[in-house]
Amino acid sequence: MIKKTLLLIMLLGVFASCNHIDNKVLPSYTVRIDLGTYGVWNTYGVTGVGDYRIFSRDKQLPANFPYNANTFTGFGGVLLIMGLDTSTGSYAPLAFDAACPVERRPEYTLTVDPTTFDAICPKCGSHYNVLNGSGGPLSGTALSQKVGLQPYKCRQSVNGGYIITSY
């Protein structure tokens, strides 16, 4: 009886781990993008569902963003998109590292398909679900390897915008 119970517990553990998506495969880098005032948010933020923007200090994206010594954009940049926050069930800004977790190289910045709003790796072709807040893989090598995008926090500011951080 004990052997059967242990075998059942082990099998349940194997099946449960099969559905786990690892979203912590990229090197850990600091993220801090201050879009915390109403004016800055209206200029550089995202407002409508599917509206997105890439922030990369190294690549100077967006070109006219006022980067300073306290701005950090993660490993491969930050993909900011207005999508569905699954924890609250409402639309909100969502942020992910813009590097593909399959390729693990910052020069391969994800793009966003304007019709499906999938984030797509230009190197391996993996698709990620960024519109519903998960950043989970939809197809390609990312799906077979069960790796998803590294999420970041978007905290609402008292001054009418958001601050994006890794902490």
Side-chain angles (χ1 to χ4, degrees):
M1 181 68 176
I2 293 176
K3 286 183 181 181
K4 286 183 182 179
T5 304
L6 288 174
L7 181 61
L8 180 62
I9 290 171
M10 286 175 34
L11 286 173
L12 287 174
V14 168
F15 288 122
S17 67
C18 289
N19 293 326
H20 174 73
I21 300 298
D22 188 356
N23 63 356
K24 303 282 187 190
V25 299
L26 295 177
S28 181
Y29 278 70
T30 302
V31 169
R32 187 173 191 289
I33 303 171
D34 189 348
L35 306 172
T37 64
Y38 181 76
V40 174
W41 180 256
N42 279 345
T43 304
Y44 300 103
V46 293
T47 54
V49 174
D51 191 15
Y52 69 93
R53 188 178 294 271
I54 302 280
F55 290 85
S56 173
R57 186 177 183 149
D58 293 343
K59 296 176 183 176
Q60 291 296 293
L61 296 173
N64 55 352
F65 185 75
Y67 286 102
N68 62 43
N70 296 320
T71 305
F72 303 96
T73 57
F75 179 65
V78 173
L79 167 60
L80 177 67
I81 188 165
M82 183 61 76
L84 182 64
D85 183 344
T86 55
S87 66
T88 65
S90 60
Y91 289 99
L94 308 168
F96 304 94
D97 200 287
C100 176
V102 171
E103 297 301 326
R104 296 183 181 117
R105 296 180 63 185
E107 61 267 23
Y108 297 122
T109 303
L110 299 169
T111 60
V112 177
D113 182 315
T115 57
T116 63
F117 300 109
D118 294 351
I120 304 168
C121 174
K123 176 78 171 155
C124 73
S126 293
H127 285 231
Y128 301 91
N129 185 345
V130 292
L131 203 55
N132 79 357
S134 72
L138 295 169
S139 66
T141 307
L143 185 59
S144 62
Q145 290 183 3
K146 296 184 184 195
V147 293
L149 300 179
Q150 167 71 44
Y152 296 124
K153 295 173 179 65
C154 294
R155 294 191 172 111
Q156 193 162 18
S157 162
V158 296
N159 297 320
Y162 288 83
I163 299 172
I164 303 152
T165 66
S166 55
Y167 46 89

